[in-house]
Amino acid sequence: MDAPRVPQVTITPDGGGFSREMKQEDWEEGEAVDGNLCRKLSTSSVSSTGSSAVESEDDLLSDNENKSKGIITLEPLVDAGESKPWWKLKTIVQWPFSAAHKRKLNWVQLAGHKGNFKAADEGSILKKYSENEVRCFERLKSDTLLAFVPAYHGVVEKDGESFIHMADLLATFDLPNVMDCKMGVRTYLEEELVRARERPKLRADLYKKMVEVDCQGPTAQEHSQCGVTKPRYMQWRESLSSSNTMGFRIDGIKKSDGTCRTDFKKTRLEQDVIEAFKDFVGSNVNVIKSYLSKLTEIQQALKRSEFFKQHEVIGSSLLFIHDHTGNAQVWLIDFGKTTELPEGQVLKHDVPWREGNREDGYLLGLQNLIGILEAVSSE
């Protein structure tokens, strides 16, 4: 008799994806795995962990941590010894694990903030509460983009802490390949830049991050001071990647064979981006066609979307997922830093950003993404 399957977990956080394919040996010796636990968990990015005032993700994550692919812990809904579920919903949802299965799951984290996800019931996951992101999900319920974002199931609480209950994006995939593309010409809000200038100070931690990525990054004066200001760091960071030149950047790739990459901080040239996409999709022509079709649909929906017109979309990603069956999908994820504009103001999203106009370049990046996939297809 075949051994029962156990959950595969794949999540894409703000600075890239993190994933862990759970093996049978991940469960305690002698533990049985209930048949209804054959599931896959995924969700959107860890970036959406606070309000629009949250610091940029690279201010909270060092590149050494990014390279370490360190183990983090995903806690189940019910702690050992608990006899009742903690869900505070309109209807009570019973956690499917029996007491013997309440073991913490280890994940390999490639990037992003730790401790922002918990396992949920089959087909869903919990993400740390963000007022901004909840507000966006509520508004998206009546928008043309609804079909392209993760299903939102409301807010739940545990031990006084709130979480967003979201759909599992990998439920229909078998050993998926996942890519996180951060959209836009910048990943910081204009208000972050303004606040940083109001309180300028040299930051040794940001200097260290800059040196870790590029020892030639700091100026001679910054080297002598062993510090850089936050505005300088934020703008330098964007100039390294294709965010600045193409309106998007690859944050992370996890392939079905278990390989993971997050070393895209300096992937700036178009041909390098094309090569990364070629490696991601392989020679599967049907997957490329599916992705192109999905991106075109998203592009059309964005142009019709009232939500899109009325928001500065910062730190949001397009999540690409496909598997060996040819099943392919693209999702819009991460709205923790997506900020509503003042009443009456709208954005075009396809014009250059100049400080003060709040343009994010999202549509510029999407058009370039389509061009990249067309180039991959032609090759």
Side-chain angles (χ1 to χ4, degrees):
M1 189 176 194
D2 291 339
R5 294 178 63 190
V6 292
Q8 170 180 287
V9 181
T10 302
I11 291 183
T12 63
D14 189 72
F18 58 82
S19 63
R20 169 81 156 111
E21 292 185 6
M22 302 304 298
K23 306 298 184 183
Q24 187 67 38
E25 57 267 24
D26 288 323
W27 299 87
E28 295 289 358
E29 185 176 356
E31 285 185 351
V33 181
D34 192 348
N36 10 338
L37 302 182
C38 294
R39 62 194 180 102
K40 300 171 186 176
L41 300 176
S42 77
T43 187
S44 54
S45 148
V46 171
S47 62
S48 309
T49 55
S51 69
S52 61
V54 70
E55 286 190 329
S56 299
E57 69 276 7
D58 280 341
D59 292 334
L60 304 174
L61 176 70
S62 73
D63 290 290
N64 280 337
E65 186 177 358
N66 185 14
K67 294 170 185 173
S68 70
K69 302 182 182 178
I71 299 297
I72 64 169
T73 300
L74 179 66
E75 296 180 351
L77 291 183
V78 183
D79 295 327
E82 283 188 353
S83 59
K84 56 185 179 180
W86 54 266
W87 292 84
K88 294 183 180 178
L89 294 171
K90 291 181 180 178
T91 57
I92 299 299
V93 179
Q94 296 291 338
W95 177 233
F97 279 162
S98 67
H101 303 143
K102 296 165 191 170
R103 184 182 177 208
K104 295 180 179 181
L105 307 180
N106 286 332
W107 294 10
V108 176
Q109 178 173 343
L110 304 183
H113 313 320
K114 297 180 179 180
N116 293 297
F117 287 88
K118 289 184 182 292
D121 55 319
E122 183 173 357
S124 65
I125 199 164
L126 304 181
K127 182 177 182 179
K128 192 171 182 180
Y129 179 81
S130 158
E131 181 180 353
N132 225 45
E133 188 153 31
V134 168
R135 189 181 299 118
C136 288
F137 274 126
E138 292 291 345
R139 293 201 61 184
L140 284 164
K141 285 181 179 179
S142 58
D143 194 80
T144 58
L145 294 177
L146 181 62
F148 304 101
V149 300
Y152 166 66
H153 303 309
V155 177
V156 297
E157 294 183 1
K158 181 187 179 184
D159 299 329
E161 189 173 7
S162 298
F163 294 88
I164 301 173
H165 188 203
M166 307 171 67
D168 170 16
L169 297 181
L170 300 188
T172 60
F173 292 88
D174 183 27
L175 296 175
N177 299 273
V178 184
M179 172 187 282
D180 182 317
C181 284
K182 189 70 64 184
M183 301 303 295
V185 295
R186 56 191 167 91
T187 58
Y188 53 85
L189 293 161
E190 285 196 357
E191 64 185 74
E192 290 182 86
L193 201 57
V194 171
R195 285 199 311 272
R197 285 175 178 157
E198 288 173 350
R199 299 186 297 274
K201 64 177 181 179
L202 292 175
R203 295 270 299 269
D205 57 332
L206 299 185
Y207 168 79
K208 181 180 178 182
K209 289 182 174 70
M210 184 181 287
V211 171
E212 285 174 352
V213 176
D214 182 5
C215 63
Q216 302 300 318
T219 64
Q221 182 178 7
E222 289 166 342
H223 273 305
S224 66
Q225 297 170 328
C226 291
V228 298
T229 64
K230 185 176 177 182
R232 157 83 168 117
Y233 173 79
M234 290 193 297
Q235 293 178 317
W236 164 83
R237 182 192 60 204
E238 307 294 27
S239 71
L240 285 181
S241 72
S242 57
S243 291
N244 195 258
T245 56
M246 302 185 70
F248 76 92
R249 72 171 187 239
I250 300 171
D251 260 6
I253 294 176
K254 180 263 179 185
K255 297 180 68 176
S256 60
D257 62 6
T259 58
C260 302
R261 284 190 62 192
T262 57
D263 55 340
F264 298 104
K265 286 187 183 294
K266 294 196 288 184
T267 301
R268 189 171 187 272
L269 300 178
E270 180 177 352
Q271 190 57 44
D272 292 335
V273 177
I274 289 174
E275 291 302 319
F277 266 86
K278 285 170 64 177
D279 179 62
F280 175 60
V281 299
S283 57
N284 195 323
V285 176
N286 290 332
V287 166
I288 298 172
K289 289 181 178 178
S290 292
Y291 278 148
L292 280 169
S293 176
K294 298 293 183 184
L295 289 180
T296 301
E297 291 176 22
I298 288 172
Q299 186 181 50
Q300 293 169 351
L302 286 169
K303 290 179 178 179
R304 299 192 307 268
S305 169
E306 290 301 314
F307 175 90
F308 191 55
K309 291 175 185 176
Q310 298 166 5
H311 285 78
E312 179 184 1
V313 184
I314 299 297
S316 183
S317 290
L318 286 178
L319 187 68
F320 292 77
I321 313 169
H322 71 270
D323 61 23
H324 64 91
T325 69
N327 187 14
Q329 184 58 268
V330 183
W331 298 94
L332 282 72
I333 62 171
D334 302 340
F335 304 107
K337 293 174 73 173
T338 293
T339 307
E340 188 174 7
L341 301 169
E343 187 174 356
Q345 184 178 351
V346 296
L347 296 182
K348 294 182 178 180
H349 302 281
D350 61 357
V351 297
W353 173 59
R354 296 186 305 277
E355 191 172 344
N357 71 3
R358 299 189 68 168
E359 290 287 353
D360 50 45
Y362 194 109
L363 287 178
L364 292 174
L366 181 54
Q367 187 57 51
N368 282 326
L369 259 177
I370 291 172
I372 291 292
L373 276 167
E374 288 175 340
V376 171
S377 179
S378 65
E379 291 186 16

